Amino acid sequence: MKYCMPWIVALLALSATLSANAFDLGGLGDKLKEAEKKLDKAKTKIEQVEHETRFIRGDVSDKEERSIGRDLAATLVNAAPPVKNAALQRYVNRVGRWVAQQSSRPKLNWTFAVLDTDSINAFAAPGGYVFITQPLFLLLENEAQLAAVLGHEIAHIEEKHHIDALQKRSGSQLLTKGLLSASRDKLDKNNQKALDKLIGAGKQLYTSGLDRGDELAADRKGVVLATRAGYSPYAMLGVLALLDGIDPSDKSMALMTHTHPAAGERLNALEPAVVTSLTRYANQPEVASRLQKQQAKLLK
Amino acid sequence: MKCMRFMVLIALFVATLTVAASSDYWLVRDSQLRSKPIFNSGGSRIDQGTAVSVIKSDGVWRKVSAPGGKTGWLPSYELRQSAGVVTQKKDGSVLGMLIRSTSRLFGRSASEDVEQGVVATIGVRGLSEEELKQSKPNYQRVDQIKAWASSAPKARKAASNAGLKAVKVAEIQGASS
């Protein structure tokens, strides 16, 4: 209904304009121009409503998702820049891309980065942006654990958890059609306002966290992705056990503690599923040497 | 420069050998030293940071010997081989933060390092709740990271070099579903 209303309104407006001026042939050209303008305005409105309706339905194109993701990722990397170590970043991208290839969205522009911060955490932004912080990277024991952490974030993107949360929490007002195609350098007033709203909602999401159910689902899906990529299925359990051993009140853990279920709770939820369903993959490798080589370079 | 790299590799290699030879593992969190390799088989409490030696493996389970002559079973993912790379350098701020936050994990000696003032700066830069709230999009920075992205064939080749093979794995269900 919401879909058709603007059309009906536009047609009524057009017919009213035409009928009222049917006998005024002298002013017909002007009136027609005016009517065309009104029609154009109505069309623009319809496009916006269609766009918002699609967003409400969760029907966001990959391109639109990437645009939203770029805005949110740009906000994250402003707070914590990527570590300036191209070899490390390329290594993490190769591992991440391999895991992402096992997902249902292998063709996204998957982009991974290690961020320079003291915080222990990992983040995803829509459209294929995945970040792991340097301290979390340093705490890992092998590449299988890295694959599991990246797999958890890839799962959030695969399932569009952030897009869903933005829709649920902020509604359609977040996105104007113009914003998605507009260059971020030259935004007009309306688009700038829309962008500010989107960034605000994104920051809210990263500081308050996704739903508990989404986090636990991403744990399960992440393990499956890493296992499909050939890594040990127990790696994520190792990461969660390690995180469970860190004092949750420590500053480095503050944001993760605030935005995720407790590591012990996540481990307890994941353990039975992994141990019963994935035991046959228990002999898949952990690949310690490559990760430890990159860690050693960082600590030099 | 090349020489330096070589020395680091040698040092890493020696460190790896030392770890492997000592067969020391650390318990990453408080757990139960179980009498059988079964999750709810009961057992005695074993503290985080306890050093154990692995005697035997059975799937995800490791039979370990703990201080005081105790033996029992722990799941492999609760064990970590020594403190690994993380403790190889004790003068960096990042590492200091790690040692501090994992001091319970890495035992008393690491805590002492912090207490002795080896680590000068301890704080959270960059991704605290407050800093995130203040952040504004930095498009130049986010577009720069694209240069590091990997293609699918390159990723596949790197995986294959480590002996990784893609396998079919069905989705797993959560306890509540």
Side-chain angles (χ1 to χ4, degrees), chain A residues 89-98 101 108-112, chain B residues 145-158:
Chain A
Q89 302 287 7
R90 288 205 179 94
Y91 164 71
V92 171
N93 271 276
R94 284 193 296 272
V95 173
R97 182 69 195 243
W98 173 240
Q101 289 305 108
L108 281 186
N109 289 320
W110 293 98
T111 317
F112 301 81
Chain B
I145 65 176
K146 283 184 203 158
W148 299 319
S150 171
S151 65
K154 269 188 190 164
R156 194 179 308 120
K157 194 169 174 232

Side-chain angles (χ1 to χ4, degrees), chain B residues 71-147:
Chain B
T71 59
W73 296 87
L74 290 165
S76 62
Y77 49 80
E78 286 184 346
L79 296 172
R80 192 178 166 106
Q81 218 170 22
S82 185
V85 171
V86 171
T87 55
Q88 284 187 3
K89 185 181 169 190
K90 295 187 176 178
D91 56 353
S93 61
V94 170
L95 192 65
M97 188 281 304
L98 283 181
I99 291 170
R100 181 174 170 270
S101 61
T102 57
S103 58
R104 286 202 296 153
L105 171 62
F106 296 119
R108 205 171 290 160
S109 63
S111 310
E112 280 166 5
D113 284 342
V114 174
E115 280 160 20
Q116 286 162 9
V118 174
V119 179
T121 50
I122 296 167
V124 175
R125 293 172 299 120
L127 279 171
S128 68
E129 195 173 334
E130 211 37 57
E131 279 178 282
L132 245 181
K133 278 181 184 166
Q134 301 300 324
S135 185
K136 288 191 169 133
N138 186 332
Y139 293 105
Q140 198 188 355
R141 208 174 257 178
V142 83
D143 290 342
Q144 277 169 356
I145 65 176
K146 283 184 203 158

Side-chain angles (χ1 to χ4, degrees), chain B residues 25-99:
Chain B
Y25 287 81
W26 294 81
L27 189 61
V28 299
R29 63 172 193 162
D30 296 338
S31 189
Q32 297 283 316
L33 193 60
R34 295 160 179 89
S35 51
K36 292 175 190 166
I38 300 168
F39 277 101
N40 46 8
S41 64
S44 57
R45 185 193 150 97
I46 178 164
D47 289 341
Q48 178 193 48
T50 306
V52 297
S53 296
V54 172
I55 305 166
K56 197 173 155 185
S57 291
D58 181 1
V60 73
W61 294 99
R62 299 287 177 271
K63 188 173 190 182
V64 300
S65 79
K70 285 187 202 168
T71 59
W73 296 87
L74 290 165
S76 62
Y77 49 80
E78 286 184 346
L79 296 172
R80 192 178 166 106
Q81 218 170 22
S82 185
V85 171
V86 171
T87 55
Q88 284 187 3
K89 185 181 169 190
K90 295 187 176 178
D91 56 353
S93 61
V94 170
L95 192 65
M97 188 281 304
L98 283 181
I99 291 170

Side-chain angles (χ1 to χ4, degrees), chain A residues 93-256:
Chain A
N93 271 276
R94 284 193 296 272
V95 173
R97 182 69 195 243
W98 173 240
V99 178
Q101 289 305 108
Q102 320 305 322
S103 76
S104 59
R105 310 184 73 189
K107 289 189 174 162
L108 281 186
N109 289 320
W110 293 98
T111 317
F112 301 81
V114 182
L115 301 185
D116 185 8
T117 164
D118 292 339
S119 184
I120 296 173
N121 217 334
F123 300 89
Y129 292 97
V130 175
F131 302 109
I132 177 170
T133 68
Q134 179 171 257
L136 179 53
F137 179 81
L138 287 171
L139 276 173
L140 301 176
E141 203 176 14
N142 52 55
E143 193 174 292
Q145 292 188 345
L146 174 64
V149 171
L150 300 178
H152 172 100
E153 302 306 329
I154 290 165
H156 279 314
I157 294 168
E158 187 180 6
E159 296 295 310
K160 300 188 180 178
H161 286 157
H162 294 86
I163 296 281
D164 285 349
L166 287 172
Q167 285 160 355
K168 269 187 216 158
R169 295 179 198 188
S170 310
S172 60
Q173 298 307 312
L174 276 179
L175 284 181
T176 59
K177 191 169 166 53
L179 177 62
L180 290 172
S181 51
S183 161
R184 293 294 179 269
D185 304 332
K186 307 167 208 156
L187 287 182
D188 63 26
K189 226 179 182 180
N190 279 344
N191 278 334
Q192 185 60 52
K193 220 171 143 187
L195 178 65
D196 291 346
K197 263 190 191 170
L198 175 65
I199 300 289
K203 288 197 280 196
Q204 167 79 21
L205 199 55
Y206 288 116
T207 50
S208 64
L210 292 163
D211 293 345
R212 182 178 167 276
D214 285 352
E215 290 299 346
L216 300 184
D219 280 343
R220 290 195 299 273
K221 210 167 181 79
V223 167
V224 169
L225 291 176
T227 309
R228 282 179 188 161
Y231 293 101
S232 163
Y234 301 132
M236 188 60 176
L237 300 177
V239 175
L240 292 172
L242 182 77
L243 294 175
D244 188 39
I246 301 173
D247 181 357
S249 68
D250 190 278
K251 275 186 183 171
S252 64
M253 287 290 285
L255 190 59
M256 189 192 270

